[in-house]
Amino acid sequence: MGKGSMKEYNDPNDTTNWKAWYVALALVLAAQIVVFLILTKSYE
Amino acid sequence: MGWLDWVVLLVTLFAIVAYGTWKTRKNNNLEGYLKGNNSENWATIGLSIMATQASAITFLSTPGQAYEGGMSFVQFYFGLPIAMILISVFFLPIYYKLKVYTAYEYLEGRFDVRVRSYTALLFLISRGLAAGITIYAPSIILSTLLGWNLQLTCLMIGVLVIVYTVSGGSRAVSLTQKWQMAIIMGGMFLAFYYVIQSIPDSVNFSEGVDIAGSLGKMNIIDLDTDLSNRYTLLSGLTGGLFLFMSYFGTDQSQVQRYLGGKSLRESRLGLMFNGLVKIPMQFFILFIGVMVFVSFQFNKPPIVFNKHTVKMSAQEKQELKGIENAYDANFEEKKSEIMNLPDNAQKSDYKKIQLLQERQDEIRADYKAKLYQIDPNYESKDSDYIFLTFVLDFLPTGLIGLLLAVIFSAAMSSTAGELNALASTTTMDFYKKFISTSDDERKDLRAGKWLTVMWGVFAIGIALVAGLFENLIQLVNLLGSLFYGTILGIFLVAFFFKKIKANAAFIAGLIAQATVLIIHYINVTSNEGKLGYLMYNVIGSAVVILIAFIIQYTTDPPKSEKEIEILDKL
């Protein structure tokens, strides 16, 4: 599947910035892992 | 359990069933029955996705797991947000554009009817058996601790689910799941409040967490790269990612939840909601287990949580009494050490407590081994019973009923999602494809409803006989990972490798499934380092892709654009 070929499947009327959503979700995951790591290390 | 608990439990359960049945009573077409007429908003979709995934065993086992082994299980969910992003980008738009009823329908257009039927069949096998265990697993725990009849408990859960799932279809499932999820989370917050209340006032929250941490319960992240270790950061981000991609992207019980969305946007938001909330929710449930552990440092827990009665001789009773006395003395000594900890306790202050905890664990293990020796049918793994034991001993009357409603709601919500999906797949991928030749909407709807009843009866049947096959239960717990790798592999080939055709995909799917089953057999029979079952998902997917490539490029190499141009001219 080539780059950009998903466009044909997406809703042209949807103006939501999905890239921002995906980056935010990935950052939240990374932040959770860091917090959990700090918690784990503090009790080792 | 008092009369008030019964009132709370029964009113909650019947109100949900009545609500789901009433709200969807005018449903009279197949699309409405299977896809809810595309009417759900993101909140309903998000909660419905979570409710389908979280079965009763999630709320019974997870706190017990944290009580015994700490918080590391949360790593299992690290692949989930990434899976949500990938499904949102690649899977969801295609399903929407093609207006499919089931995920497998897409495979016929992309490959052929063989690949569609084969993948749908793998889903029906794994999910059909799992639906039975979704009913059986909480029933066995409830019947052991409350003295209820096991068969009647299974029947009650199964029949209640069949009533509204048959009557209202997909929309009834989603609507009831929203309220079930509200009851589940409300109940769990109340349980957490009572766990904290059960810890003495002289121990504040932070000191409680320190006690848990010093006794090895705050081990959230494991950086080990050993693949035989089931819950590590690496296995969560790799095996977990593949498992959740397959579960949320290709398992009809989940696909059906978000295909009922008002629009692509609402469905995507539902997935984002799941990605944001799932890890904190699992962390919270595990943390309840950790705090139950802290509470049981001050309130003596039973030596075993599984109170299954074991018949024994007077001498055996005497031996067990001796172990119980040692357990009591050890507990009191440990409690006194904890109560006498200095205000700013250092790591070295916990040394003796750690030793006494290890001793307590050893005594418990000895006691369970003895019980097992007396009665080989005794289930010595009792972590699933820990949370409910706490609920029954520490929650006030009325709230015990609510917590039991939480467990029933969780069992019903995931079973409903499963039955609904099993019926949809059988209706669309088999019945309408191979049996029903007419376009009679009412006849197809009737067939969909009867197939839901059939799968419900099948699930109850599995639940009723599950107790006879202990190994079957273990196998069913693994079923997801045994089949998901192959299913995901076929979908990944369909989405990302356009030059691979039906024949290569179908044969690769068969070879991959055989490979995973052989690896599993070697894994359970060998004494060497065992492979964590999450890795089956990665292996299954990788084998499908690799074999499909080899077959396609050796038997019928894809033609270049130039070759196609020349062939067209001829």
Side-chain angles (χ1 to χ4, degrees):
Chain A
M1 188 171 284
K3 198 181 171 188
S5 62
M6 286 308 295
K7 269 187 185 162
E8 61 176 299
Y9 295 105
N10 281 315
D11 179 0
N13 299 319
D14 182 7
T15 54
T16 315
N17 186 350
W18 292 109
K19 273 187 191 159
W21 268 97
Y22 302 148
V23 171
L25 190 53
L27 287 175
V28 169
L29 171 66
Q32 283 168 336
I33 293 174
V34 170
V35 171
F36 293 158
L37 196 57
I38 293 168
L39 262 172
T40 305
K41 292 286 171 198
S42 69
Y43 286 109
E44 270 179 3
Chain B
M1 206 178 149
W3 65 268
L4 188 60
D5 294 314
W6 278 105
V7 171
V8 172
L9 173 62
L10 294 175
V11 167
T12 311
L13 295 186
F14 285 105
I16 288 176
V17 173
Y19 172 79
T21 313
W22 174 256
K23 283 285 276 188
T24 54
R25 66 195 183 283
K26 287 174 185 161
N27 215 342
N28 53 12
N29 64 68
L30 193 63
E31 189 180 354
Y33 190 72
L34 300 183
K35 288 212 289 186
N37 284 326
N38 288 95
S39 54
E40 310 303 354
N41 60 22
W42 66 267
T44 306
I45 296 167
L47 289 171
S48 181
I49 287 172
M50 292 177 77
T52 299
Q53 190 188 11
S55 69
I57 214 69
T58 307
F59 299 96
L60 288 170
S61 292
T62 310
Q65 205 165 354
Y67 181 100
E68 293 267 319
M71 303 281 294
S72 61
F73 182 57
V74 80
Q75 296 170 107
F76 177 73
Y77 293 93
F78 285 169
L80 189 146
I82 307 168
M84 292 298 103
I85 295 172
L86 295 174
I87 292 165
S88 185
V89 172
F90 297 109
F91 291 50
L92 194 53
I94 294 177
Y95 292 154
Y96 256 87
K97 187 81 177 179
L98 301 177
K99 295 191 187 323
V100 292
Y101 281 82
T102 73
Y104 320 110
E105 216 178 321
Y106 157 71
L107 294 175
E108 185 174 355
R110 171 65 181 83
F111 296 122
D112 62 11
V113 72
R114 276 179 316 166
V115 182
R116 172 184 180 176
S117 306
Y118 172 61
T119 317
L121 187 68
L122 289 183
F123 165 73
L124 291 179
I125 295 169
S126 61
R127 195 46 62 190
L129 290 171
I133 302 305
T134 311
I135 297 174
Y136 172 77
S139 302
I140 180 75
I141 297 167
L142 290 168
S143 65
T144 307
L145 287 183
L146 296 162
W148 293 353
N149 180 295
L150 175 62
Q151 278 77 18
L152 271 179
T153 313
C154 290
L155 270 174
M156 185 172 160
I157 296 174
V159 170
L160 282 174
V161 171
I162 290 175
V163 169
Y164 67 88
T165 312
V166 169
S167 142
S170 186
R171 183 146 170 72
V173 173
S174 298
L175 284 176
T176 45
Q177 281 177 329
K178 192 163 68 173
W179 289 105
Q180 283 160 336
M181 206 59 204
I183 291 164
I184 289 168
M185 289 321 291
M188 293 308 278
F189 275 110
L190 274 171
F192 182 67
Y193 171 78
Y194 279 95
V195 175
I196 300 296
Q197 287 298 307
S198 69
I199 297 171
D201 292 341
S202 57
V203 179
N204 65 33
F205 182 74
S206 153
E207 286 167 340
V209 178
D210 283 348
I211 291 168
S214 69
L215 294 172
K217 305 298 175 190
M218 295 300 289
N219 53 342
I220 312 168
I221 304 280
D222 185 345
L223 298 173
D224 194 356
T225 52
D226 180 1
L227 293 181
S228 64
N229 196 345
R230 195 181 285 179
Y231 306 122
T232 62
L233 182 64
L234 181 69
S235 75
L237 287 173
T238 55
L241 169 65
F242 276 75
L243 174 70
F244 290 123
M245 282 261 284
S246 191
Y247 177 55
F248 289 104
T250 72
D251 186 311
Q252 181 62 17
S253 62
Q254 283 296 351
V255 174
Q256 191 152 6
R257 307 274 61 81
Y258 55 75
L259 283 186
K262 262 184 209 163
S263 63
L264 179 57
R265 182 178 183 274
E266 296 294 320
S267 296
R268 272 190 170 141
L269 284 174
L271 291 179
M272 293 298 103
F273 174 78
N274 187 38
L276 281 171
V277 175
K278 189 70 190 181
I279 293 175
M281 185 185 110
Q282 289 298 331
F283 180 89
F284 172 64
I285 298 168
L286 284 163
F287 194 64
I288 291 176
V290 167
M291 292 323 271
V292 168
F293 174 81
V294 175
S295 170
F296 280 157
Q297 299 305 310
F298 304 98
N299 307 293
K300 188 161 67 72
I303 190 164
V304 285
F305 292 95
N306 177 0
K307 289 167 186 156
H308 174 77
T309 318
V310 174
K311 281 184 187 160
M312 61 184 87
S313 67
Q315 194 199 337
E316 285 165 337
K317 258 186 196 162
Q318 198 59 36
E319 278 177 46
L320 286 176
K321 188 76 195 151
I323 304 177
E324 282 172 30
N325 289 340
Y327 176 81
D328 291 351
N330 188 77
F331 172 81
E332 291 303 333
E333 190 183 349
K334 179 160 61 85
K335 180 179 170 183
S336 148
E337 286 289 330
I338 294 173
M339 293 303 268
N340 291 323
L341 276 170
D343 278 346
N344 289 315
Q346 302 300 307
K347 275 181 187 167
S348 55
D349 297 321
Y350 288 98
K351 278 263 165 62
K352 187 161 185 202
I353 297 167
Q354 285 164 348
L355 288 173
L356 288 166
Q357 180 62 43
E358 278 169 27
R359 176 84 190 113
Q360 181 173 317
D361 294 341
E362 282 165 15
I363 297 173
R364 236 166 78 71
D366 280 353
Y367 193 87
K368 285 195 273 187
K370 185 78 197 157
L371 280 175
Y372 182 74
Q373 199 185 337
I374 297 168
D375 178 3
N377 290 323
Y378 181 76
E379 174 57 83
S380 55
K381 184 184 168 294
D382 62 352
S383 57
D384 292 349
Y385 296 80
I386 295 172
F387 180 59
L388 202 53
T389 300
F390 180 88
V391 168
L392 294 174
D393 290 349
F394 286 89
L395 260 63
T397 184
L399 283 184
I400 292 177
L402 182 70
L403 259 292
L404 292 177
V406 166
I407 292 158
F408 270 90
S409 295
M412 286 163 61
S413 63
S414 43
T415 309
E418 289 172 330
L419 296 189
N420 192 215
L422 288 163
S424 303
T425 305
T426 320
T427 307
M428 297 308 296
D429 297 311
F430 294 98
Y431 174 76
K432 270 185 77 67
K433 188 78 209 156
F434 302 112
I435 299 169
S436 170
T437 46
S438 71
D439 271 337
D440 186 345
E441 183 95 353
R442 283 170 59 188
K443 194 179 152 204
D444 291 341
L445 177 64
R446 232 180 7 251
K449 291 194 173 195
W450 275 111
L451 284 165
T452 312
V453 175
M454 189 207 83
W455 278 111
V457 171
F458 178 78
I460 293 173
I462 293 284
L464 292 178
V465 299
L468 304 173
F469 306 99
E470 281 299 320
N471 292 333
L472 175 79
I473 298 163
Q474 285 167 20
L475 181 67
V476 171
N477 285 334
L478 269 171
L479 274 177
S481 291
L482 283 179
F483 292 100
Y484 277 166
T486 307
I487 298 177
L488 179 63
I490 292 172
F491 273 88
L492 291 179
V493 168
F495 287 138
F496 299 111
F497 304 99
K498 294 287 184 196
K499 287 179 179 170
I500 293 179
K501 294 179 191 161
N503 214 34
F506 181 66
I507 296 169
L510 293 174
I511 293 173
Q513 195 51 59
T515 309
V516 172
L517 292 174
I518 290 167
I519 289 175
H520 175 63
Y521 178 76
I522 295 168
N523 210 19
V524 290
T525 49
S526 91
N527 295 321
E528 300 296 310
K530 296 201 186 272
L531 191 68
Y533 71 85
L534 276 179
M535 284 297 144
Y536 294 170
N537 298 290
V538 185
I539 294 168
S541 299
V543 172
V544 173
I545 296 168
L546 189 71
I547 301 287
F549 250 103
I550 293 171
I551 294 173
Q552 189 65 56
Y553 280 82
T554 51
T555 59
D556 179 17
K559 295 176 177 52
S560 67
E561 280 176 21
K562 214 171 189 178
E563 280 176 288
I564 294 169
E565 232 172 78
I566 295 165
L567 284 170
D568 281 348
K569 279 178 190 165
L570 290 173

